[in-house]
C-alpha cells in the first residue's frame, strides 16, 4: 500500500493497564512509532481513547464517585483525564521535536455539513503545519443520546473526513478470528474484501474498558473500506506494530479490509457516516425500499407512508422499510411537516435526491 496519510485509532485496552491506570510505557512506544512514520513522510491523525480511564485512576483515591450517575461520572473523569492524557502526549512528542494538538469532537458538532467542514479545515490546517492531531470525543459535554457508539465510530468518520489512505484500529487482539481468539483452533482472517461475509465470526461482547467491541469495529471497517480506504485491525500491545505495518516488509499479524476501487465525493462520505445524526425517520413502502436498494434512485414522496420526528430541510433523516430495517439515510429536502403533507403523493420534487442519499446495501453494515 502506498500510504501518505493514515488515521490511527488507539483503544482504551491498549493504553491502560489491568488496574485501569494509564500505561505510560505503551504510550511512549506508540508515540515513538508515530514519530517514525512522520519522519518517513506519512501524515498521521490519532484518535486516542484513555481519557475516562485516566481520570478514573487519578481520582479514585481522592473522591467517592459511587453517588454519581453514569453520565456525571464520565464527565468528571474525562475532564481530569483529558488534561492528563494530552499533556502526556505533548511531552512525548516534544521529545521528538514534534508538536501535537488536541481536537475534541462531539456528535452534535459533526451533525451539520457546516460544522463538519469546519472540523475538517481545522485538522487540515494542523496537518499542513506539521502538527499531529490527537482527536477524542468530548465526554465532558456529551450525554448518552449525543455520544458516538465509541471511538471506532469516530475514527471512521475522521478517516473519511481527512481522506486518509488507511485507517488502523489498534485493539488488544490481532484482528478478526474464525472463533474465540483464545481458542488455539481459531484462525486469524488476514484479508477481507467487499464480498467476504465474516459476520458469523464476530463476537458481540465488549472490552472491559471501551464502549465498543469487535461488532462495531467490523461494521465501521466495512463502511470505511467501501469508501476506498484500507482498514487494518491489529494488536496495539505488540511491539513496533505501527512501523511494522507501514514501514517494514515483515508485518505483524492483522486483518486487512481491502478498499473499494473508487471513492465517493466528500458530501457523500459525510452522509455515509451520518446515520447516528438522523433527526427523523421516514417510513416508506416496500416499492420505495426495493427501488432504493436497487441503487441510483431518489426517494420520492409517493413512496412515503409517514414522517416521524421534528426535522427541518437539509437535516439528516433515516428511511425505514415496513419491516423496520433501515434502507438508507440522507439529507431531506423537506421539513417534517412538509413531508407528512406530501406523503403518498406524486408530482413533487424528490424527498431525498439520489446525490444526497446513502444506501445501506448490505446487512454486513449493521450490528447483529
Amino acid at each position: 500500500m502506498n500510504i501518505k496519510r493514515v488515521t490511527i485509532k488507539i483503544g482504551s485496552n491498549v493504553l491502560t493497564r489491568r488496574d485501569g491506570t494509564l500505561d505510560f510505557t505503551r504510550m511512549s512506544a506508540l508515540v515513538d512509532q508515530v514519530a517514525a512514520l512522520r519522519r518517513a513522510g506519512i501524515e498521521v491523525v490519532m484518535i486516542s481513547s484513555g481519557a475516562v480511564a485516566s481520570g478514573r485512576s487519578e481520582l479514585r483515591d481522592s473522591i467517592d464517585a459511587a453517588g454519581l450517575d453514569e453520565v456525571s461520572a464520565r464527565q468528571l473523569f474525562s475532564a481530569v483525564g483529558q488534561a492528563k492524557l494530552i499533556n502526556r502526549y505533548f511531552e512525548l512528542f516534544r521529545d521528538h521535536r514534534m508538536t501535537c494538538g488536541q481536537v475534541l469532537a462531539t456528535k452534535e458538532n459533526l451533525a451539520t455539513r457546516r460544522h463538519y467542514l469546519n472540523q475538517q479545515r481545522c485538522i487540515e490546517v494542523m496537518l499542513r503545519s506539521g502538527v499531529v492531531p490527537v482527536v477524542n470525543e468530548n465526554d465532558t459535554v456529551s450525554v448518552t443520546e449525543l455520544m458516538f457508539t465509541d471511538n471506532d465510530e469516530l475514527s471512521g468518520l475522521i478517516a473519511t473526513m481527512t481522506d486518509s489512505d488507511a485507517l488502523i484500529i489498534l485493539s488488544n487482539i490481532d484482528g478478526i478470528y474464525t472463533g474465540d481468539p483464545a481458542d488455539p483452533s481459531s484462525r486469524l482472517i488476514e484479508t477481507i474484501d467487499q464480498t467476504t461475509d465474516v459476520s458469523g465470526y464476530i463476537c458481540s461482547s465488549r472490552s472491559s474498558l471501551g464502549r465498543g467491541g469487535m461488532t462495531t469495529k467490523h461494521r465501521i471497517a466495512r463502511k470505511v473500506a467501501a469508501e476506498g480506504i484500507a482498514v487494518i485491525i491489529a494488536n496495539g500491545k505488540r511491539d513496533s506494530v505501527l512501523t511494522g505495518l507501514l514501514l517494514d516488509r515483515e508485518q505483524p499479524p492483522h486483518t486487512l479490509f481491502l478498499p473499494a476501487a473508487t471513492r465517493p465525493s466528500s458530501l457523500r462520505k459525510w452522509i455515509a457516516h451520518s446515520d447516528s445524526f438522523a433527526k427523523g425517520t421516514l417510513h416508506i413502502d416496500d416499492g420505495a425500499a426495493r427501488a432504493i436498494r436497487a441503487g441510483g434512485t431518489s426517494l420520492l414522496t409517493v413512496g412515503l407512508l409517514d414522517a416521524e420526528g421534528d426535522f427541518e430541510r437539509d437535516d439528516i433523516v433515516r428511511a425505514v422499510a415496513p419491516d423496520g430495517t433501515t434502507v438508507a439515510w440522507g439529507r431531506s429536502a423537506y421539513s417534517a411537516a412538509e413531508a407528512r403533507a406530501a406523503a403518498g403523493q406524486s408530482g413533487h420534487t424528490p424527498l431525498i435526491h439520489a446525490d444526497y442519499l446513502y444506501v445501506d446495501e448490505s446487512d454486513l453494515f449493521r450490528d447483529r
Side-chain angles (χ1 to χ4, degrees):
M1 291 184 294
N2 183 24
I3 305 298
K4 296 298 183 183
R5 178 178 292 182
V6 62
T7 294
I8 300 170
K9 184 263 179 177
I10 307 172
S12 295
N13 275 291
V14 176
L15 289 179
T16 51
R17 300 185 180 92
R18 289 184 178 180
D19 63 358
T21 59
L22 272 179
D23 187 341
F24 295 126
T25 301
R26 182 63 54 193
M27 284 184 68
S28 179
L30 288 169
V31 170
D32 289 346
Q33 294 173 68
V34 171
L37 298 181
R38 290 287 295 112
R39 287 192 291 269
I42 299 175
E43 294 180 325
V44 178
V45 180
M46 294 172 59
I47 287 84
S48 179
S49 302
V52 174
S54 174
R56 184 186 295 114
S57 64
E58 186 71 21
L59 294 173
R60 64 184 178 186
D61 294 330
S62 59
I63 68 165
D64 179 15
L68 297 177
D69 61 76
E70 183 179 354
V71 172
S72 297
R74 188 174 189 84
Q75 289 174 321
L76 173 63
F77 295 146
S78 177
V80 174
Q82 195 64 251
K84 182 178 179 181
L85 188 71
I86 197 63
N87 281 337
R88 176 64 63 166
Y89 274 128
F90 193 88
E91 295 296 331
L92 290 171
F93 275 109
R94 189 162 62 178
D95 289 342
H96 291 278
R97 297 184 179 180
M98 296 179 182
T99 304
C100 71
Q102 185 177 51
V103 179
L104 293 177
T106 66
K107 181 180 288 190
E108 193 173 32
N109 291 154
L110 300 171
T112 68
R113 182 68 175 160
R114 179 170 62 86
H115 288 144
Y116 176 90
L117 293 174
N118 284 340
Q119 190 79 87
Q120 183 184 58
R121 281 191 287 268
C122 171
I123 295 176
E124 288 293 340
V125 167
M126 295 173 74
L127 291 171
R128 287 199 304 269
S129 303
V131 175
V132 178
V134 180
V135 187
N136 198 0
E137 182 173 9
N138 190 356
D139 292 308
T140 60
V141 298
S142 293
V143 293
T144 304
E145 64 271 19
L146 296 178
M147 289 164 63
F148 290 98
T149 303
D150 64 5
N151 272 345
D152 294 320
E153 182 184 2
L154 177 60
S155 70
L157 190 152
I158 296 296
T160 56
M161 171 192 287
T162 57
D163 203 25
S164 293
D165 299 303
L167 166 63
I168 299 177
I169 299 176
L170 296 181
S171 184
N172 58 349
I173 58 174
D174 290 329
I176 295 178
Y177 284 79
T178 57
D180 186 340
D183 187 342
S185 65
S186 295
R187 176 179 58 85
L188 178 68
I189 303 173
E190 296 181 350
T191 305
I192 297 173
D193 63 23
Q194 298 299 303
T195 63
T196 308
D197 184 0
V198 297
S199 56
Y201 303 132
I202 306 299
C203 176
S204 60
S205 61
R206 297 183 300 175
S207 64
S208 59
L209 292 168
R211 295 205 305 272
M214 194 54 72
T215 302
T216 305
K217 290 176 176 58
H218 172 246
R219 176 173 59 83
I220 296 301
R222 283 281 185 183
K223 181 179 289 187
V224 173
E227 294 163 357
I229 298 173
V231 182
I232 295 171
I233 298 177
N235 191 337
K237 288 186 176 290
R238 283 187 176 272
D239 293 338
S240 303
V241 60
L242 294 175
T243 51
L245 287 169
L246 298 180
L247 300 180
D248 297 340
R249 290 188 176 182
E250 288 198 20
Q251 298 182 332
H254 65 277
T255 296
L256 168 65
F257 290 76
L258 294 172
T262 59
R263 294 193 177 196
S265 67
S266 174
L267 177 60
R268 290 186 67 84
K269 285 190 291 186
W270 169 65
I271 292 173
H273 291 266
S274 296
D275 182 29
S276 59
F277 305 152
K279 298 290 184 65
T281 300
L282 304 177
H283 297 277
I284 62 177
D285 61 26
D286 282 322
R290 286 194 300 270
I292 290 172
R293 282 174 171 146
T297 187
S298 301
L299 174 57
L300 305 178
T301 56
V302 68
L304 179 65
L305 299 174
D306 190 19
E308 180 183 340
D310 184 21
F311 55 90
E312 301 295 334
R313 293 185 187 184
D314 295 332
D315 281 345
I316 298 296
V317 293
R318 187 179 296 110
V320 176
D323 64 2
T325 59
T326 297
V327 179
W329 52 92
R331 192 160 71 174
S332 176
Y334 291 66
S335 68
E338 291 168 341
R340 282 189 283 267
Q345 301 176 19
S346 58
H348 294 279
T349 57
L351 187 55
I352 303 178
H353 191 277
D355 291 344
Y356 307 125
L357 187 69
Y358 181 84
V359 181
D360 195 357
E361 297 176 339
S362 170
D363 284 340
L364 294 172
F365 285 173
R366 301 189 188 97
D367 286 349
R368 296 188 178 224

